[in-house]
Amino acid sequence: MSEDMKLTIDRRKCVGRKGQTIVEVARENDIWIPTLCFDERMEPYGACRVCLVEVEGARALLPACTAEITPDMVVTTSNERIDSIRRTVIELILSDHPKDCLTCESNGSCALQDLAYRYGVKESSFGGEAHSYHLLDDNPVIERDPDKCILCGRCVRICEEIVGAGVYGFVGRGFDTTVGTPYEHPLEESPCLFCGQCISTCPVGALASKLSKGAGRPWELEETDTTCPYCGVGCTLTLWTRDNKVVNITAPLDRGVNRGNLCVKGRFGFQYIDSPERLKHPMIRGKDGRLRKTSWNKAISLVTERFSGIVEKHGADAVGGLSSARCTNEENYLFQKFMRAVVGTNNVDHCARL
Amino acid sequence: MKKKDKVVVGLATCGIAAGGVEVMDEIARELKKRRLDVELDETGCIGCCFAEVLVDFEKEGMPRVTYGDVRPEDVPALVESHLVNGKILKEKVLLIEGRKTTEADFLKKQTRIVLGNCGILDPEDIEDYMGIGGYEGLRKALSGMTPEQVRKEVLDSGLRGRGGAGFPTGAKWNFCARAEGEDKYIVCNADEGDPGAFMDRSVLEGDPHAVLEGMIIAGYAIGATHGYIYCRAEYPLAVKRLKMAIRDATGKGFLGSDILGSGYSLDIIIKEGAGAFVCGEETALIASIEGVRGMPRPRPPFPANKGIWGMPTNINNVETLANVPWIIREGAGKFARLGTKGSKGTKVFCLTGKVRRGGLAEVAMGTTLREVIFGVGGGIKNDRPFKAVQIGGPSGGCLPAELLDTPVDYDSLPAAGAIMGSGGMVIVDDTTCMVDLAKYFLTFTQMESCGKCTPCRIGTKRMLEILTRICEGKGEPEDIERLEKLAVDIKDGSLCALGGTAPNPVLTTLRYFKDEYEAHIFDKRCPAGLCSELVTFHIDPEKCNGCTVCARNCPTGAITGEKKEPHGIDQEKCIKCRECLRRCRFDAVYTV
Ligand SMILES: Cc1cc2nc3c(=O)[nH]c(=O)nc-3n(C[C@H](O)[C@H](O)[C@H](O)COP(=O)(O)O)c2cc1C
Ligand code: SF4
Ligand code: SF4
Ligand code: SF4
């Protein structure tokens, strides 16, 4: 068991565990600390500087996302000094950021917008040069808009730390630093798996899914949690639907085995749902070789009847069962139980063994 | 046996840049021609950069003489006079051992521990170093002292890090020694990236074994298993001499396994950095050694606990380490007697800018700025008035004449708004515009920002834009306030000390030279006559005697006038290149 530690955040007594950071304990206690470069899936990074907090006894402000708690720590998450820096940071980011929220894909789900709103920053008072790069549209799935990038490094880190592909890196120095692929090669020529993990972590609209472009604002869509049907891992998905059509898929950070992570199929493989070629009813092939629509009852009865016939005539071992990796463990368990107990054979296997 | 006569040429990077190799070749040719049996040697930089190329002559029966500003064509006369006729060639003398010369103050007013051997020893010969007690400190530490005792000795000496932050070295070693890890690393930070700083290069080129010895002692004190020297690739001579030093020290058993039979082992690898200023920052340096982009990360965890490959790591600056053998050899007490209460020993400064004798100045801590600039440096070039000194490079501050009596130590400088930093001193006279100076340093920091954190990446850019428009006469009344606010938030909000100190030049120039900012903003005037958008060039007809030099050198033909008649400048054509101002020998060109 890890050690409990008492500390005070904004005059509130809290208890955390050794090794936790200030942000983690604050969130467990419903104390809000703004973040931009923080994503609990990755190692903390401490770059954006909006999570700076004051810790009693420390001269410098500490990033709450990287600073670990210590016994009897006293933390202040907001005061004039802190808020001044936060406001300046937001203004500085906005001074080099397009103000086209009206048409931005991330309107309504943008961490920068939320912070500007919260701190009442309408525009930057600094003015000055703003970058104007080209939109990077070099593949069917991911669109990159470097103008909107706030250089939080989340895409760089998720691709490196979680996906293991290491597609992006920082390029250049100073004001002209950017995030990009080696030698600016298109994503398709990189080790990219098109898992879209980078889109999932981008706090602004710099990375967007082309499959969901223009499909609707978060508040126009309906959210439904479900389990991904593609494999036995059973990742938790949130389907975003509009008029009963799935327009986007994300994964919640706080639930499921996947904790926000998805692979290319789970995240982007949803167009088949409305495909006209999709089988939606059971069908029985007639003597003429043609498939005809039927009811589940009739279809299952037919299967039962035929299998029973085979078992009666040739014995249970004449039947074998092959289960799918797309089923859950529970379903696979039930399947082998069915084969052994109901059909009466041990001829049961699983595609993942092939 | 009679000691052989000797000629020694200063061949550090500065000497080479000034033509030292050509001078050396010429001397060799001359000696051969005259069949003189004289030893010809090279050495590092003695610090008199203002008088490169430097050549020392040692002849039986004569004092040792250092000749300065030696060019290849001076060689025959020098050899003839000094070596053949036994007469000192007065015109070229810089220093004569034991005698007062005009430039003797440069060295006399210094206290040399770190630079003691620079420009004297042959840095490529380990025997030379051993001859003056080199590696005796290491022998003493390994044979008679426990690692704790070594750490205590350094702690008692009061040595503080010379890389910028001034953290007590002994305390730092204790942290690392007490941290747990399978491996431990000792790193020498030789990334020296501050504009105007070259003391580390001079030490590495002039006395590489001292740094190596200090590093091995430090390694022993903290229990390091591996060592790295992180040296910028722009210092090829330093890298070459370090490689030789490592090879020779290993050959003598000072490095490698079972050093001097003590059971302690250490290997040292040179890692060349690609010249990013930020890679001098400890955590970025570690990232760079690990092979990734050099970007700082927040501390804690400190390198002492989690450094290279997550192992305890101790990073020290070149000059810090070069002090260590002396401390062990001579004792902490002797070191602690030099300096002030909170700052012990000496500090090497690089005098550059408008100072008369630019170069390396090693002085006891607590020496005043005045003594350094006027005593060692000989005051301002061309006897112009002193205006300010920027101390500590781009992270430091700019101090005015009223503060010339500030002692240089770790307490007084920060109190005045500057820092010791790595020890760069850029001295400026009345022709320097302070807004322009601040702009210069901010241009550097903005360019070198690693881009990781917002305040530094975008904030310094915005400050730079404001400074630029002030210099162009487009400053707004609110700009001073904007600069001040940004400066405070960038200082407070940046991840590493690059951003954390970047606003210092602006803050100090605002503090001590606010009138210059105001003149630019409100009167659209540059008091130093430097900001080209705010000045116009004119010729004083009283002073102009019509020599035509300006007219002949003006790139746009803006200057016209008859020979021997006062000239005039066509403001439409003038591009403010300052050429006429530089060329006129009668002081007739002036700016408004
Ligand atoms: C941007 C930046 C650049 C630095 N560059 C150097 C450098 O070139 N050399 C150096 O010794 N220290 C440099 N430092 C300071 C080091 O981070 C570190 O404090 C020092 O090497 C520690 O050694 P010391 O304790 O012996 O001074 C730099 C710091 C920063 C923030
Ligand atoms: S889609 Fe996946 S693999 Fe491709 S860059 Fe994004 S995170 Fe990396
Ligand atoms: S693209 Fe998005 S996630 Fe990546 S660095 Fe830019 S803002 Fe951050
Ligand atoms: S302060 Fe500047 S150099 Fe340091 S981490 Fe931030 S951006 Fe990089």
Side-chain angles (χ1 to χ4, degrees), chain A residues 13 33 35 39 44 59 88 107 118 123 133 149 162 186 200 202 208 229 259 267 279 284-285 291 297-298 308 333 353:
Chain A
K13 303 255 172 278
I33 297 176
T35 58
D39 180 329
R59 199 164 34 97
T88 299
N107 190 6
R118 181 116 182 189
E123 59 185 340
Y133 300 107
C149 174
I162 312 278
S200 82
C202 183
R259 297 270 152 170
R267 191 180 310 277
L279 297 180
I284 294 177
R285 198 179 296 280
L291 284 164
N297 257 343
K298 276 193 186 149
S308 305
Y333 175 81
R353 286 226 311 188

Coordinates of all heavy atoms in Angstrom, one line a residue, chain A residues 13 33 35 39 44 59 88 107 118 123 133 149 162 186 200 202 208 229 259 267 279 284-285 291 297-298 308 333 353:
Chain A
K13 N -8.3 20.6 3.6 CA -7.4 19.5 4.0 C -7.7 18.3 3.0 O -8.8 18.0 2.7 CB -7.8 19.0 5.4 CG -7.7 20.1 6.4 CD -6.5 19.8 7.3 CE -6.2 21.0 8.2 NZ -5.5 22.1 7.6
I33 N -7.7 22.9 -11.4 CA -6.4 23.6 -11.8 C -6.4 23.5 -13.3 O -6.5 22.4 -13.9 CB -5.2 22.9 -11.2 CG1 -5.2 22.9 -9.7 CG2 -3.9 23.5 -11.7 CD1 -4.1 22.2 -9.0
T35 N -5.2 23.1 -17.1 CA -4.0 22.5 -17.7 C -4.2 22.6 -19.3 O -5.3 22.6 -19.7 CB -3.9 21.0 -17.4 OG1 -5.1 20.3 -17.7 CG2 -3.6 20.8 -15.9
D39 N -2.1 15.4 -20.0 CA -3.0 14.3 -20.3 C -2.6 13.2 -19.5 O -1.5 12.7 -19.5 CB -2.9 14.0 -21.8 CG -3.8 12.8 -22.3 OD1 -4.1 12.0 -21.4 OD2 -4.2 12.9 -23.4
P44 N 3.8 13.4 -17.1 CA 3.6 14.9 -17.1 C 4.8 15.6 -17.7 O 5.9 15.1 -17.8 CB 3.5 15.2 -15.6 CG 4.1 14.0 -14.9 CD 3.9 12.8 -15.8
R59 N 10.3 29.1 -3.5 CA 10.4 30.5 -4.1 C 9.7 30.6 -5.4 O 8.9 31.5 -5.7 CB 11.9 30.8 -4.2 CG 12.2 32.3 -4.3 CD 13.7 32.5 -4.1 NE 14.5 31.4 -4.6 CZ 15.1 31.4 -5.7 NH1 15.0 32.4 -6.5 NH2 15.8 30.3 -6.1
T88 N -1.5 36.0 -18.9 CA -0.4 36.3 -19.8 C -0.2 35.1 -20.8 O -0.1 35.3 -22.0 CB 0.9 36.7 -19.1 OG1 0.6 37.8 -18.3 CG2 2.0 37.0 -20.1
N107 N -14.4 23.8 -31.8 CA -15.3 24.7 -31.1 C -16.2 23.9 -30.2 O -16.9 23.0 -30.6 CB -16.1 25.5 -32.1 CG -16.9 26.6 -31.4 OD1 -16.7 26.9 -30.3 ND2 -17.8 27.3 -32.2
R118 N -12.9 31.3 -19.3 CA -12.8 31.3 -17.8 C -12.0 32.5 -17.3 O -12.4 33.1 -16.3 CB -12.1 30.0 -17.4 CG -11.9 29.9 -15.9 CD -12.7 28.7 -15.5 NE -12.6 28.6 -14.0 CZ -13.1 27.5 -13.4 NH1 -13.6 26.5 -14.0 NH2 -13.0 27.5 -12.1
E123 N -8.9 38.9 -26.4 CA -7.9 38.9 -27.4 C -6.6 39.3 -26.8 O -6.5 39.7 -25.6 CB -8.2 39.9 -28.5 CG -8.4 41.3 -28.0 CD -8.9 42.3 -29.0 OE1 -8.7 41.9 -30.2 OE2 -9.4 43.3 -28.6
Y133 N 1.0 29.1 -41.6 CA 1.6 27.9 -42.3 C 0.5 27.4 -43.2 O -0.6 27.8 -43.2 CB 2.0 26.8 -41.3 CG 3.0 27.2 -40.3 CD1 2.7 27.4 -38.9 CD2 4.4 27.3 -40.6 CE1 3.6 27.8 -38.0 CE2 5.3 27.6 -39.7 CZ 5.0 27.9 -38.4 OH 5.9 28.2 -37.4
C149 N -1.7 25.0 -33.7 CA -0.9 24.2 -32.7 C -0.4 25.1 -31.6 O 0.2 26.2 -31.8 CB 0.3 23.6 -33.4 SG 1.4 22.7 -32.3
I162 N 2.7 6.1 -25.8 CA 1.6 5.1 -25.8 C 1.6 4.2 -27.0 O 1.5 3.0 -27.0 CB 0.2 5.8 -25.6 CG1 0.3 6.9 -24.5 CG2 -0.9 4.8 -25.4 CD1 0.1 6.4 -23.1
P186 N 5.0 13.3 -45.6 CA 3.6 13.1 -45.4 C 3.4 11.9 -44.3 O 4.3 11.0 -44.3 CB 3.0 12.7 -46.7 CG 4.0 13.1 -47.7 CD 5.3 13.1 -47.1
S200 N -6.9 12.5 -30.5 CA -7.6 12.4 -29.2 C -7.0 13.2 -28.1 O -7.7 13.7 -27.2 CB -7.7 10.9 -28.8 OG -6.5 10.6 -28.1
C202 N -5.0 16.1 -28.7 CA -4.8 17.5 -29.1 C -5.9 18.4 -28.4 O -7.0 18.2 -28.6 CB -4.9 17.7 -30.6 SG -4.5 19.4 -31.1
A208 N -7.3 17.2 -36.5 CA -8.7 16.9 -36.6 C -8.9 15.7 -37.5 O -8.2 15.4 -38.4 CB -9.5 18.1 -37.2
P229 N -16.7 -3.4 -30.8 CA -17.0 -4.8 -31.3 C -15.8 -5.4 -32.0 O -15.9 -6.6 -32.3 CB -18.2 -4.6 -32.2 CG -18.0 -3.2 -32.8 CD -17.3 -2.4 -31.7
R259 N -9.1 3.3 -21.1 CA -8.8 4.6 -20.5 C -8.4 5.7 -21.5 O -7.4 6.3 -21.5 CB -7.6 4.5 -19.5 CG -7.9 3.7 -18.3 CD -8.5 4.5 -17.2 NE -9.4 3.7 -16.4 CZ -9.9 4.1 -15.2 NH1 -9.6 5.3 -14.8 NH2 -10.7 3.3 -14.5
R267 N -11.4 3.6 -33.5 CA -11.7 5.0 -33.6 C -12.3 5.4 -34.9 O -13.2 6.3 -35.0 CB -10.4 5.8 -33.4 CG -10.7 7.3 -33.2 CD -9.4 8.1 -33.0 NE -8.5 7.6 -31.9 CZ -8.7 7.9 -30.6 NH1 -9.7 8.6 -30.2 NH2 -7.9 7.4 -29.8
L279 N -25.3 -6.8 -43.6 CA -26.4 -7.8 -43.3 C -27.1 -7.3 -42.0 O -26.4 -7.1 -41.0 CB -25.8 -9.2 -43.1 CG -25.1 -9.8 -44.3 CD1 -24.6 -11.2 -44.0 CD2 -26.1 -9.8 -45.5
I284 N -31.9 -17.3 -44.9 CA -31.8 -18.8 -45.2 C -31.7 -19.0 -46.7 O -32.4 -18.4 -47.5 CB -33.0 -19.5 -44.6 CG1 -33.0 -19.4 -43.1 CG2 -33.1 -21.0 -45.1 CD1 -34.2 -20.0 -42.4
R285 N -30.7 -19.8 -47.0 CA -30.5 -20.1 -48.4 C -31.5 -21.2 -48.9 O -31.6 -22.3 -48.3 CB -29.1 -20.6 -48.7 CG -28.7 -20.5 -50.1 CD -27.2 -20.9 -50.4 NE -26.2 -20.1 -49.7 CZ -25.8 -18.9 -50.1 NH1 -26.2 -18.5 -51.3 NH2 -24.9 -18.3 -49.4
L291 N -30.6 -16.5 -51.1 CA -30.8 -16.1 -49.7 C -32.1 -15.4 -49.6 O -32.4 -14.5 -50.3 CB -29.6 -15.3 -49.2 CG -28.3 -16.1 -49.0 CD1 -27.2 -15.1 -48.9 CD2 -28.4 -16.9 -47.7
N297 N -36.0 -16.5 -34.9 CA -36.5 -17.8 -34.4 C -36.4 -18.9 -35.5 O -35.9 -19.9 -35.1 CB -38.0 -17.6 -34.1 CG -38.2 -17.5 -32.6 OD1 -37.3 -17.8 -31.8 ND2 -39.3 -16.9 -32.2
K298 N -36.8 -18.6 -36.7 CA -36.7 -19.6 -37.7 C -35.3 -20.0 -38.0 O -35.0 -21.1 -38.2 CB -37.4 -19.0 -39.0 CG -38.9 -19.2 -39.0 CD -39.4 -19.0 -40.4 CE -41.0 -19.0 -40.3 NZ -41.5 -18.1 -41.3
S308 N -28.4 -31.0 -34.7 CA -28.9 -32.2 -34.0 C -28.8 -33.4 -34.9 O -28.4 -34.5 -34.5 CB -30.3 -32.0 -33.5 OG -30.3 -30.8 -32.7
Y333 N -16.0 -18.0 -23.3 CA -16.3 -19.0 -22.2 C -17.6 -19.7 -22.5 O -17.7 -21.0 -22.5 CB -16.3 -18.3 -20.8 CG -16.7 -19.2 -19.7 CD1 -15.7 -20.1 -19.2 CD2 -18.0 -19.3 -19.2 CE1 -16.0 -21.0 -18.1 CE2 -18.3 -20.2 -18.2 CZ -17.3 -21.0 -17.7 OH -17.6 -21.9 -16.7
R353 N -5.6 -18.7 -32.2 CA -4.5 -19.7 -32.2 C -3.9 -20.0 -33.5 O -2.9 -20.7 -33.6 CB -5.1 -20.9 -31.6 CG -5.3 -20.8 -30.1 CD -4.8 -22.0 -29.4 NE -5.2 -23.2 -30.0 CZ -5.0 -24.4 -29.4 NH1 -4.4 -24.5 -28.3 NH2 -5.4 -25.5 -30.0

